[in-house]
Amino acid sequence: MCTVCGCEMATLEDGKRKPRAQGERHDHHRGHPHDHGHHHDRHYAQDGGLQHGQRIAGVHVPGVNPERIVQIEKDILSKNNAYAVENRARFGRNSIFVLNFVSSPGSGKTSFLVRAISDLKDRMSISVIEGDQQTSNDAARIRKTGVPAIQINTGKGCHLNAHMVGHAVEDLAPEPGSVLFIENVGNLVCPSAFDLGEAHKVVVLSVTEGEDKPLKYPDMFAAADLMILNKSDLLPHLDFDVGLCIANALRVNPRLRTLTVSARSGEGMEAFYFWLEGAVARVAKASQEV
Amino acid sequence: MHEMSLMESVITIVCEMAQLNGASAVKSIRLDIGVLSDINPDSLLFCYEAVRRGTIAEHAALEINRIAGKGWCLDCGKTVPLDKRFGACPDCGRYRVQTTAGDELRIKDMEVI
Ligand SMILES: Nc1nc2c(ncn2[C@@H]2O[C@H](COP(=O)(O)OP(=O)(O)OP(=O)(O)O)[C@@H](O)[C@H]2O)c(=O)[nH]1
Ligand SMILES: [Zn+2]
Ligand SMILES: [Zn+2]
Ligand SMILES: [Zn+2]
């Protein structure tokens, strides 16, 4: 990890844009400023009020030893959250609508995105950030649809963080008014804790995973605003109870919206497009009113 | 599972604060970790060993305070103990309980030299 900025050693595999060697992300170790809007020597002021650090007067007993207690009282996630705030402000300025897709491995996120992008790309401008531990297969699958995609390899990391996404957005440069999909690393636990600056987390669950997933991984379903129940084409072959699954999800998050789809057959996809277009229109309207 | 990146942020924040306070070394760090958070304290300790090397917190002891889970039951109208996030109220058995404590992930303070 970079102790200057908390950069985890993620590498960014760059698609069509400037080729970039792995590891080159860490320019700032040599005092090179970041290009996504922050210099590391400005972190003190920007990234969560480190100036609040204070010594407690009186804790230090003279003549005993030179130790002191420093009150910190900071959330462990505060570093990430400061980057997320930066990302969100940037998305807001440019009216970019961002969805963060989370799921267990293999629920069909990439298949879902490929189908959605193929159907929507003539109606709206879309770009994609793919998160994966090792490979860039997913980004390659997305690029086949003709939209720009960038891959972030997290290495051992089991989730994307806001700092990685900030860098990726800088390189991807999504158009103002466009839609940005972020496909997180397949993992129903860790990504729930990391705000990336997205408008909504969308949790993708497939009908082969069992109705009890929302109860086993409640944080993820609580953090999401939309649940996509994928692989509905398989329902005739399973005894998966859609109603029970949705009831379990609503128990941890009564505001959750749910859609049942098949990325394979296309069933139910229109409902997602309708939801998306409504949400994008609201963002555009809100930005006009400002 | 994400204990590693959490410990990385702990060390980053702690080292920055130590520098701001003109400290030469960190002797100990205290964290508040709620029992309802998805965090395993043993993994935190394990990851801590790995990430503190080469920093001014290299020799710092890590103390983890576990914060008990509590929630406000809408039906009973009172605070009840909670052992699971989004769990049922131990009194009425219903699920309308809002977590009020136990999901903390906080760096409380540290001792520096
Ligand atoms: N029957 C059926 N299979 C599907 C559907 N969607 C995806 N699959 C299959 O599920 C498998 C995993 O799909 P992916 O799209 O790679 O899943 P993913 O969530 O992107 O996987 P990770 O990125 O590894 O987490 C593939 O074999 C897909 O063909 C669907 O709607 N129906
Ligand atoms: Zn950085
Ligand atoms: Zn993890
Ligand atoms: Zn009750």
Side-chain angles (χ1 to χ4, degrees), chain A residues 49-63:
Chain A
L50 289 176
Q51 62 270 38
H52 298 316
Q54 358 146 279
R55 299 166 194 194
I56 312 178
V59 169
H60 171 221
V61 183

Side-chain angles (χ1 to χ4, degrees), chain B residues 73-78 80 89-94 96-97:
Chain B
C73 175
L74 291 172
D75 294 305
C76 301
K78 64 176 185 190
V80 294
C89 167
D91 283 0
C92 68
R94 302 180 65 176
R96 304 208 309 149
V97 185

Side-chain angles (χ1 to χ4, degrees), chain A residues 103-112 130-132 138 141 183-186 230-234 261-265:
Chain A
S103 82
S104 43
S107 64
K109 291 184 299 306
T110 313
S111 309
F112 177 85
E130 282 289 335
D132 198 84
D138 287 351
R141 282 166 68 192
E183 180 180 341
N184 219 310
V185 178
N230 188 30
K231 310 197 186 178
S232 65
D233 57 291
L234 298 177
V261 310
S262 166
R264 177 154 300 169
S265 72

Side-chain angles (χ1 to χ4, degrees), chain A residues 1 8 50 53 55 67-70 72-79 159 190 218-219 222 251, chain B residues 1-2 5-6 8-9 12 16-17 20-21 27 38 85-86 95 105-112:
Chain A
M1 178 198 56
E8 281 155 45
L50 289 176
R55 299 166 194 194
E67 288 154 23
R68 305 169 263 139
I69 305 276
V70 177
I72 300 182
E73 296 292 351
K74 270 174 81 103
D75 201 295
I76 296 177
L77 293 166
S78 58
K79 279 245 106 148
H159 55 265
C190 311
D219 290 298
R251 189 198 278 183
Chain B
M1 270 156 99
H2 46 298
S5 51
L6 292 184
E8 286 172 341
S9 353
T12 307
E16 277 176 354
M17 295 287 275
L20 273 174
N21 281 270
K27 273 201 66 183
D38 254 320
R85 208 144 126 76
F86 309 103
Y95 285 90
L105 288 178
R106 189 167 50 222
I107 313 175
K108 206 167 159 36
D109 55 26
M110 63 179 168
E111 230 180 325
V112 298

Side-chain angles (χ1 to χ4, degrees), chain A residues 10 27 71 130-131 153 174 200 216 251:
Chain A
D27 294 357
Q71 289 289 356
E130 282 289 335
N153 286 129
H200 304 285
K216 283 189 175 161
R251 189 198 278 183

Side-chain angles (χ1 to χ4, degrees), chain A residues 53-240:
Chain A
Q54 358 146 279
R55 299 166 194 194
I56 312 178
V59 169
H60 171 221
V61 183
V64 178
N65 56 35
E67 288 154 23
R68 305 169 263 139
I69 305 276
V70 177
Q71 289 289 356
I72 300 182
E73 296 292 351
K74 270 174 81 103
D75 201 295
I76 296 177
L77 293 166
S78 58
K79 279 245 106 148
N80 179 76
N81 293 345
Y83 286 115
V85 165
E86 230 179 79
N87 292 350
R88 189 164 282 121
R90 181 196 183 110
F91 297 143
R93 280 194 303 278
N94 298 296
S95 303
I96 296 169
F97 184 72
V98 185
L99 295 180
N100 174 9
F101 287 84
V102 294
S103 82
S104 43
S107 64
K109 291 184 299 306
T110 313
S111 309
F112 177 85
L113 290 177
V114 164
R115 179 174 281 266
I117 292 166
S118 310
D119 290 345
L120 291 170
K121 66 180 181 194
D122 298 330
R123 293 194 241 166
M124 54 179 75
S125 162
I126 302 173
S127 56
V128 180
I129 294 174
E130 282 289 335
D132 198 84
Q133 291 193 307
Q134 297 294 345
T135 71
S136 53
N137 302 351
D138 287 351
R141 282 166 68 192
I142 298 287
R143 282 186 207 121
K144 276 199 199 141
T145 65
V147 306
I150 204 165
Q151 180 94 35
I152 301 175
N153 286 129
T154 55
K156 286 198 280 293
C158 41
H159 55 265
L160 293 175
N161 67 37
H163 186 239
M164 301 167 177
V165 168
H167 282 295
V169 166
E170 183 76 20
D171 285 9
L172 192 59
E175 280 174 36
S178 67
V179 170
L180 172 63
F181 294 140
I182 302 174
E183 180 180 341
N184 219 310
V185 178
N187 169 353
L188 269 180
V189 181
C190 311
S192 72
F194 293 82
D195 182 6
L196 306 180
E198 72 275 0
H200 304 285
K201 285 191 178 68
V202 178
V203 61
V204 181
L205 183 67
S206 55
V207 298
T208 52
E209 294 174 72
E211 299 92 346
D212 57 348
K213 279 290 176 302
L215 300 180
K216 283 189 175 161
Y217 301 96
D219 290 298
M220 189 57 94
F221 291 83
D225 295 310
L226 176 65
M227 173 170 96
I228 306 260
L229 193 52
N230 188 30
K231 310 197 186 178
S232 65
D233 57 291
L234 298 177
L235 281 171
H237 313 286
L238 305 166
D239 55 7
F240 183 89

